[in-house]
Amino acid sequence: MPMPDELSEAEFRSLYRRLRGTASLGGRRRGALDTITEEQVLAAVREVRSGRTVSLAAPVETRTEPDDAGPAEHRLTAPADGEPAPEGLDFARDRFAMNIHGDVDSHLDALCHVIYDGTLHGGIPAGDALSPEGASVLSVELARDGIVGRGVLLDIPRVHGLSWLEPGSNVTAEDLSAAETRQGLRVGRGDILLVRVGHRRRREELGPWDVAAARAGLHPTAMEFVADREVAVLGSDGNNDTAPSAVRGVAFPVHVLAVHALGLHLLDYLRFEDLAPICAREGRWSFLCVIAPLRLPAATGSPVNPLAIL
């Protein structure tokens, strides 16, 4: 794949201002989620033909790996270890804890997740909105009723005849357009856009690696495609951002452009290795997509198990 140009911080800020200007902040209480109308939900329901459901999440990891220094913790709290089960009724109980914004587990980024120049999406001062108790605005509570709409999967490695994109590869707007053409569809307003880079397949076949140093993702200029199509949610089987960053001085430019400028909830580290073969075999790359984050009123994100319903 040809390498797109690196952006200077000044060029990135110009792109940021341009994209922020395309987002109609007035009246968008839930950011880009407000582009999903009731009519679009009904149309998405009509995408269902077989009734088959496919998870788009990866299993939660509990082992320390090169890309997961602080994995989730899961332990049985009852019955006590080594004690025989008592006579009669008893219950097995467990406890689970995790870092939401890691580099392995599937999660949703809320609109309060990205701080840029001291502000959140819509220019809200971060100092006024964030405290140790959580976020007072733009938390994952905005998605408390779930996100339901037409999901569209664009398989970028497939366009290039690859199983996955190598770490450091950048997906461009041209790649997204080429995937549309090859797959015979067009991304539209209110869609849940899912971009496969093959991160999960590479990890499963070759093993974990330090993704903070190298991973495939979207080039910042690809966000012009996303903004032009007015999608509601953006997700990937990677972090959405490439590493090393294509912008000098900004480590996560796609997060800044998506969450902060456009008001997009991001889905990071999904898994498409069950869905993509079905889509290729059936020749259809759109489906009903249902995303139900946990009810965490002041949280900056949530673990999530999105479902594609075909």
Side-chain angles (χ1 to χ4, degrees), residues 279-290:
C279 290
R281 185 170 60 250
E282 297 185 0
R284 52 180 298 224
W285 298 85
S286 61
F287 39 84
L288 175 64
C289 188
V290 177

Side-chain angles (χ1 to χ4, degrees), residues 84-230:
E87 294 290 331
L89 176 66
D90 195 18
F91 294 97
R93 299 186 296 273
D94 48 5
R95 183 180 184 277
F96 179 78
M98 71 182 298
N99 294 314
I100 292 175
H101 302 287
D103 285 326
V104 173
D105 297 318
S106 305
H107 63 271
L108 177 76
D109 290 344
L111 298 187
C112 61
H113 176 50
V114 176
I115 305 168
Y116 187 58
D117 286 342
T119 67
L120 306 180
H121 172 64
I124 297 171
D128 295 344
L130 304 176
S131 72
E133 287 70 42
S136 60
V137 296
L138 302 180
S139 76
V140 76
E141 181 73 358
L142 290 180
R144 67 186 180 191
D145 295 319
I147 303 169
V148 180
R150 186 178 84 139
V152 175
L153 177 63
L154 296 184
D155 192 339
I156 307 305
R158 187 170 183 268
V159 171
H160 297 281
L162 303 170
S163 296
W164 58 72
L165 303 186
E166 286 297 337
S169 301
N170 283 274
V171 175
T172 65
E174 291 74 22
D175 289 323
L176 298 176
S177 295
E180 276 188 321
T181 300
R182 176 162 181 171
Q183 296 173 199
L185 52 69
R186 180 178 173 82
V187 178
R189 178 179 169 85
D191 281 346
I192 299 167
L193 174 58
L194 306 172
V195 180
R196 179 178 179 269
V197 298
H199 179 99
R200 287 290 180 185
R201 182 168 177 183
R202 188 183 194 278
R203 188 179 191 272
E204 290 166 7
E205 292 193 14
L206 301 184
W209 71 96
D210 181 6
V211 300
R215 62 177 178 268
L218 295 173
H219 191 269
T221 56
M223 293 304 296
E224 294 187 283
F225 174 100
V226 175
D228 178 65
R229 301 304 175 82
E230 296 185 274

